[in-house]
Amino acid sequence: MALGNGNCYRRASVESAARLLRTHEIQHRGRARRGKVEMAKIMVVDDEAALARIVRDALTNEGHNVYMETDGLAALSRMVELKPDLVVSDVMMPGMGGASLLTAMRDNAYLHEVPCVVMSGLPEDSVAVACGNEYSAFLAKPFDLQDLVNVVGEILTARP
């Protein structure tokens, strides 16, 4: 599924992603509640609101409580209140980007152990340098929603 890269989203790609999400919802409705993965609090952070909503909806369909922010600083503030079980964040965002958000999380006593999945159109080696290898998983944009669901499930299943 091609969602695009950076700010270059095409309407057709977003509509295709929405159709795929509806299909995914029908095929997997409630699976997380019946399987090994329990409902979790997940924060999605991406300045591309369309992608953030698609990610939010895919994870909500898996039975999770998903919160969404389009700004790193607002997300950090909200995370201190929520103490999420997992964060899914874009790397390249205006203001506080994903790398700075991850650094702030690691410096915060309440958030330092929260796993983070980073998403980016940049190569993973560039992301690893920017984020200091402090993330739990990397997803290259564009990515398949099922890959996201699988990565989130693996991380949540592995937590103590």
Side-chain angles (χ1 to χ4, degrees):
M1 169 180 63
L3 289 178
N5 192 2
N7 291 327
C8 302
Y9 287 98
R10 290 173 291 169
R11 183 175 176 83
S13 295
V14 173
E15 289 171 354
S16 297
R19 278 194 302 278
L20 180 61
L21 181 60
R22 284 191 295 276
T23 302
H24 182 268
E25 177 182 354
I26 291 166
Q27 293 172 346
H28 300 284
R29 190 179 314 254
R31 186 180 70 186
R33 288 179 290 260
R34 292 189 302 268
K36 294 190 299 186
V37 178
E38 293 181 23
M39 184 173 59
K41 288 187 290 187
I42 300 174
M43 173 63 72
V44 175
V45 188
D46 197 319
D47 61 318
E48 295 291 338
L51 178 58
R53 282 190 298 272
I54 290 167
V55 169
R56 178 196 63 199
D57 292 348
L59 296 174
T60 299
N61 289 339
E62 292 296 312
H64 302 295
N65 289 325
V66 184
Y67 306 88
M68 185 182 94
E69 291 292 341
T70 57
D71 169 80
L73 191 56
L76 183 62
S77 176
R78 195 158 180 209
M79 280 190 271
V80 171
E81 295 173 24
L82 293 172
K83 180 82 169 49
D85 299 305
L86 177 74
V87 173
V88 179
S89 178
D90 186 17
V91 174
M92 301 293 291
M93 295 183 287
M96 179 183 267
S100 298
L101 175 62
L102 193 53
T103 299
M105 287 173 62
R106 297 302 168 242
D107 291 342
N108 184 292
Y110 296 106
L111 302 173
H112 74 277
E113 292 184 6
V114 176
C116 187
V117 176
V118 294
M119 315 175 284
S120 183
L122 297 172
E124 185 175 6
D125 56 344
S126 298
V127 171
V129 170
C131 294
N133 285 316
E134 292 288 327
Y135 54 89
S136 303
F138 172 82
L139 288 172
K141 288 182 179 180
F143 55 84
D144 186 88
L145 286 175
Q146 190 59 51
D147 292 340
L148 169 72
V149 168
N150 292 343
V151 165
V152 166
E154 288 169 12
I155 292 169
L156 293 174
T157 301
R159 69 183 174 169

